[in-house]
């Protein structure tokens, strides 16, 4: 059923909001003014939102979006805040926390409400004996954000299992159902990321696989090595999930409030994808700087293109683990994560990011691109 704009009553509250996804359902939209956004992000950075609204049903989400669009108010959609870099001045508009819930499994078909906690949903599919998203365990944030940057890790991407995305289309002013092929998924990108003002994801549908309790074929060499099997092999689902969680934890990629290495947005930069000519020029720079036998990491990325590793570039440009002296530093566990050691500002983090970008460019001639979404600031 297509849904169009309809208003839902709003309850003003004075108490501070809890973490994203932790809102209580009152059957009404919850609203705060001049509310801090930093506690809603995994970086713990960013100024306040003029208005912060938490919606727990699709109708509430649509109502808040319509109201913002009708009044020309800037709108920021917030899930788990794990891929957001919000400026110190905050957001002068309505920040909408999507806290809807819904996990429906029908055979191998899974439907998740946008506000479901992603890593919990992954755990439930593993418990149900279904393969397809087990290697995406431990990725913070909401299910609704997974199609935005085509979340991926350890050899799996959501684009391989998503069948449909149900979204509110702010241009058509109605709900739409986009088939996988209409989502323009690519490496850490999609139609939703390309056109961020247009779609608000309400539900995501997946086709999983019943492989008799086994995982999908392990495509990532490190996971296979950890489990003592060959790439392409399958292992019991729980083992695959546990191995991924262990590998991620070792890199500071599983949230832990006590560990500042996880006060990040995950990978701060995407892995560069280079044309054949650009890759040869890059290789020459690598040999010039690191010696005649040095070889950069290279992975086929389709159509004559090659992907290299942003973490490797950062490290070899001299920004090693733990780099930095201020409150924003490179993680001590992974060069790709820029972290808040406590007391940092967004400007501190961006200054570090700019230093890294400039250093990598100076050394290798490659311009790194940020993976997280920036709000009110630019790299
Ligand atoms: C420790 C750590 C590890 C990470 N590891 C990985 C990883 O391995 N692989 C990976 O791909 N990512 C990783 N990430 C990044 C992040 O977790 C993912 O991008 C995640 O999907 C973001 O979800 P979120 O709900 O937190 O989105 P948010 O940060 O809240 O939002 C991100 C963007 O999506 C938009 N958005 C959110 N919800 C919706 C919605 N319902 N409709 C429309 N737009 C929406 C927001 O407006 C914003 O533009 C990691 C992050 C951290 C902190």
């Amino acid at each position: 059923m297509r849904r169009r704009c309809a208003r839902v009553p709003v309850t003003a509250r004075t108490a501070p909001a809890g973490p994203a996804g932790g809102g209580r359902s009152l059957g009404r939209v919850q609203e705060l003014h001049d509310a801090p956004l930093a506690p809603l992000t995994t970086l713990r950075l960013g100024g306040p939102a003029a208005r912060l609204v938490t919606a727990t049903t699709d109708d509430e989400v649509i109502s808040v979006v319509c109201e913002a669009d009708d009044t020309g108010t800037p709108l920021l959609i917030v899930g788990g805040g794990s891929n957001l870099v919000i400026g110190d001045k905050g957001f002068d508009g309505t920040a909408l926390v999507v806290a809807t819930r819904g996990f429906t499994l029908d055979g191998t078909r899974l439907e998740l409400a946008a506000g479901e906690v992603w890593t919990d949903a992954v755990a439930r599919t593993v418990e149900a004996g279904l393969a397809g998203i087990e290697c995406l365990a431990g990725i913070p944030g909401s299910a609704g954000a997974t199609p935005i940057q085509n979340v991926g890790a350890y050899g799996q991407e959501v684009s391989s299992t998503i069948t449909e995305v149900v979204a509110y289309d702010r241009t058509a002013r109605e709900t739409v159902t986009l088939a996988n092929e209409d989502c323009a998924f690519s490496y850490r990108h999609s139609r939703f990321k390309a056109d961020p003002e247009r779609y608000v994801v309400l539900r995501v549908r997946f086709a999983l696989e019943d492989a008799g309790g086994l995982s999908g074929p392990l495509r990532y060499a490190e996971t296979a090595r950890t489990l003592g099997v060959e790439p392409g092999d399958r292992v019991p689902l729980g083992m695959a999930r546990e191995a991924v969680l262990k590998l991620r934890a070792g890199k500071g990629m599983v949230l832990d409030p006590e560990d500042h290495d996880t006060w990040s947005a995950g990978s701060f930069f995407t892995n560069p994808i280079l044309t054949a000519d650009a890759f040869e020029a890059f290789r020459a720079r690598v040999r010039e700087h690191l010696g005649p036998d040095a070889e950069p990491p290279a992975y086929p990325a389709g159509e004559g293109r090659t992907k290299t590793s942003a973490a490797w570039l950062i490290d070899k440009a001299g920004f090693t683990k733990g780099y930095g002296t201020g409150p924003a530093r490179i993680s001590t566990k992974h060069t790709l994560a820029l972290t808040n050691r406590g007391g940092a500002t967004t400007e501190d983090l961006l200054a570090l990011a700019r230093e890294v970008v400039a250093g990598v460019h100076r050394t290798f001639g490659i311009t790194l691109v940020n993976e997280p979404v920036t709000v009110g600031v630019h790299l």
Side-chain angles (χ1 to χ4, degrees):
M1 188 186 72
R2 292 191 171 192
R3 282 189 236 176
R4 292 172 180 274
C5 284
R7 294 288 175 78
V8 170
V10 167
T11 310
R13 290 171 57 216
T14 48
R24 237 168 4 111
S25 172
L26 299 179
R28 283 164 171 257
V29 179
Q30 299 174 4
E31 173 172 333
L32 296 166
H33 292 272
D34 199 24
L37 287 171
L40 303 185
T41 71
T42 51
L43 275 163
R44 278 88 162 164
L45 294 178
R51 180 171 175 248
L52 177 67
V53 177
T54 301
T56 56
T57 67
D58 288 355
D59 284 344
E60 289 175 2
V61 170
I62 294 168
S63 162
V64 174
V65 174
C66 290
E67 186 199 339
D69 289 348
D70 287 348
T71 54
T73 308
L75 180 70
L76 170 65
I77 309 294
V78 180
S82 62
N83 217 23
L84 278 176
V85 180
I86 298 172
D88 294 314
K89 290 201 174 112
F91 184 69
D92 190 12
T94 297
L96 168 61
V97 176
V98 178
T100 52
R101 288 288 183 267
F103 177 104
T104 313
L105 203 49
D106 178 9
T108 55
R109 303 263 156 185
L110 172 69
E111 181 180 287
L112 297 177
E116 277 291 323
V117 174
W118 174 252
T119 193
D120 294 351
V122 172
R124 289 176 73 177
T125 64
V126 167
E127 268 167 39
L130 296 174
I133 54 176
E134 63 281 2
C135 293
L136 303 176
I139 298 180
S142 61
T146 60
I148 308 295
Q149 70 156 8
N150 181 20
V151 153
Y154 295 90
Q156 288 181 342
E157 283 184 334
V158 286
S159 58
S160 305
T161 42
I162 286 178
T163 52
E164 288 176 341
V165 175
V166 181
Y168 180 74
D169 179 341
R170 295 169 66 190
T171 304
R173 297 178 68 81
E174 63 181 14
T175 54
V176 291
T177 301
L178 298 169
N180 178 300
E181 52 275 22
D182 296 327
C183 295
F185 287 124
S186 60
Y187 167 64
R188 293 301 93 77
H189 208 67
S190 71
R191 174 178 191 162
F192 311 106
K193 194 160 181 179
D195 200 354
E197 298 294 317
R198 180 156 180 189
Y199 297 102
V200 179
V201 175
L202 301 172
R203 274 152 205 280
V204 190
R205 297 184 180 138
F206 301 82
L208 302 176
E209 186 194 0
D210 184 348
L214 295 181
S215 68
L218 296 176
R219 310 223 175 272
Y220 202 70
E222 195 183 11
T223 326
R225 208 166 39 243
T226 306
L227 287 161
V229 297
E230 293 298 316
D233 286 353
R234 295 175 185 258
V235 297
L237 274 162
M239 275 173 67
R241 176 174 168 270
E242 286 304 322
V244 165
L245 286 174
K246 198 168 158 206
L247 286 169
R248 293 185 68 91
K251 296 175 190 174
M253 289 293 177
V254 178
L255 291 185
D256 174 358
E258 303 298 315
D259 181 359
H260 281 278
D261 280 334
T262 75
W263 290 32
S264 77
S267 304
F268 199 88
F269 301 103
T270 52
N271 289 321
I273 296 180
L274 306 173
T275 60
D277 287 350
F279 187 74
E280 278 319 308
F282 163 54
R283 246 173 129 195
R285 294 284 286 265
V286 167
R287 291 179 174 170
E288 193 184 308
H289 281 277
L290 304 176
D293 298 328
E295 274 296 338
Y299 311 95
E303 292 168 19
R305 287 167 188 261
T306 304
K307 191 196 293 189
T308 192
S309 158
W312 186 91
L313 289 167
I314 294 167
D315 184 61
K316 299 296 178 199
F319 304 100
T320 48
K321 289 174 187 166
Y323 178 88
T325 50
R329 291 183 216 164
I330 290 180
S331 158
T332 68
K333 300 187 183 74
H334 197 351
T335 51
L336 207 42
L338 305 190
T339 64
N340 173 5
R341 312 313 294 185
T345 62
T346 303
E347 267 317 303
D348 294 329
L349 186 89
L350 291 176
L352 175 65
R354 289 178 191 126
E355 191 187 346
V356 169
V357 171
V360 167
H361 189 264
R362 200 167 46 242
T363 315
F364 297 116
I366 289 182
T367 305
L368 291 177
V369 175
N370 54 297
E371 185 186 294
V373 175
T374 54
V375 178
V377 285
H378 294 286
L379 197 56

